[in-house]
Amino acid sequence: KAGVTQTPRYLIKTRGQQVTLSCSPISGHRSVSWYQQTPGQGLQFLFEYFSETQRNKGNFPGRFSGRQFSNSRSEMNVSTLELGDSALYLCASRAGGSSYNEQFFGPGTRLTVL
Amino acid sequence: QKEVEQNSGPLSVPEGAIASLNCTYSDRGSQSFFWYRQYSGKSPELIMFIYSNGDKEDGRFTAQLNKASQYVSLLIRDSQPSDSATYLCAVSIYGGSQGNLIFGKGTKLSVKP
């Protein structure tokens, strides 16, 4: 079974621009969660989508948004980029029917904001 | 503020020794607990999860959970240089109903040949 895929793998943007990241979950998985990883803050939850609906959201500004399509693929958008948005953005896939919330991560998108 | 705490390390052990990684969490209602391994420049990889008090073994790995003490640990037996990585402890407060995991900042493990 193919794993979680994310595109692009690397991205360089300048302040004020916007960016869209894409995630395809494991086949059959209906939930996609997004996380931001930085050296200072570690891994922090951004939001989760399940069956095209945002299920919950972490403590990030409204510049961070996402959506999920009917095939469970998800996109994350960051508008008006700031230097502090430089990070590794990870998406995680889970089946959604599990009681235990085990999640499987994609390879990540490394975003650099100049 | 729901928190997960780990000693940042580095934890250095000789090859063949037992590595012991520890994690404490603040929310007493936490339901399931995960250990991820992250190699430098790579994404986290799920090693194992545990949800009931006691020990859970998988190969060279044993996870231990003590909900009364709000404490989770991971033991790695017969440590190998390939085990050198950062180990992330994660907690799910809502079980399977919501996807947000709360992560500790990780413990860096170095296994010396």
Side-chain angles (χ1 to χ4, degrees):
Chain A
K1 204 180 234 187
V4 181
T5 59
Q6 291 187 246
T7 57
R9 294 293 310 279
Y10 301 91
L11 211 45
I12 300 175
K13 293 286 188 179
T14 55
R15 278 181 301 174
Q17 288 187 307
Q18 75 164 20
V19 66
T20 299
L21 313 181
S22 180
C23 171
S24 291
I26 293 169
S27 178
H29 284 194
R30 296 163 62 193
S31 167
V32 172
S33 294
W34 288 89
Y35 294 84
Q36 181 196 66
Q37 187 174 33
T38 59
Q41 298 300 316
L43 261 161
Q44 293 185 289
F45 173 76
L46 281 155
F47 31 66
E48 181 201 11
Y49 284 87
F50 181 84
S51 294
E52 302 179 64
T53 302
Q54 187 179 89
R55 180 170 281 188
N56 53 13
K57 191 177 190 316
N59 190 25
F60 278 84
R63 299 185 298 107
F64 292 82
S65 63
R67 60 178 175 169
Q68 188 179 34
F69 302 95
S70 59
N71 62 356
S72 295
R73 189 178 69 86
S74 177
E75 288 183 347
M76 188 191 105
N77 185 76
V78 188
S79 62
T80 320
L81 283 165
E82 300 178 0
L83 295 178
D85 297 333
S86 294
L88 179 65
Y89 289 89
L90 294 156
C91 79
S93 159
R94 71 186 181 106
S98 165
S99 301
Y100 308 116
N101 196 13
E102 58 267 43
Q103 299 184 21
F104 302 93
F105 283 89
T109 295
R110 173 75 61 185
L111 172 65
T112 301
V113 182
L114 302 176
Chain B
Q1 180 80 348
K2 299 172 176 51
E3 294 183 338
V4 177
E5 300 284 346
Q6 295 181 256
N7 188 322
S8 62
L11 173 66
S12 184
V13 300
E15 184 175 355
I18 295 175
S20 178
L21 304 159
N22 305 314
C23 170
T24 58
Y25 58 95
S26 63
D27 193 303
R28 194 168 282 278
S30 299
Q31 298 189 25
S32 45
F33 308 85
F34 303 83
W35 284 100
Y36 285 84
R37 177 176 63 198
Q38 187 173 26
Y39 292 112
S40 181
K42 301 294 185 183
S43 63
E45 172 193 8
L46 180 63
I47 299 174
M48 60 191 306
F49 70 94
I50 188 168
Y51 52 89
S52 56
N53 278 328
D55 295 0
K56 180 181 178 182
E57 188 174 315
D58 184 359
R60 295 187 297 113
F61 299 96
T62 299
Q64 299 174 317
L65 173 61
N66 183 326
K67 288 188 175 181
S69 301
Q70 296 175 238
Y71 178 90
V72 192
S73 66
L74 179 70
L75 301 178
I76 306 175
R77 289 183 300 280
D78 188 24
S79 295
Q80 301 297 309
S82 59
D83 294 326
S84 298
T86 296
Y87 289 79
L88 300 167
C89 172
V91 171
S92 175
I93 295 172
Y94 305 107
S97 65
Q98 293 189 33
N100 48 323
L101 294 177
I102 300 172
F103 282 84
K105 293 190 177 179
T107 298
K108 188 169 185 176
L109 173 66
S110 177
V111 181
K112 304 293 187 186

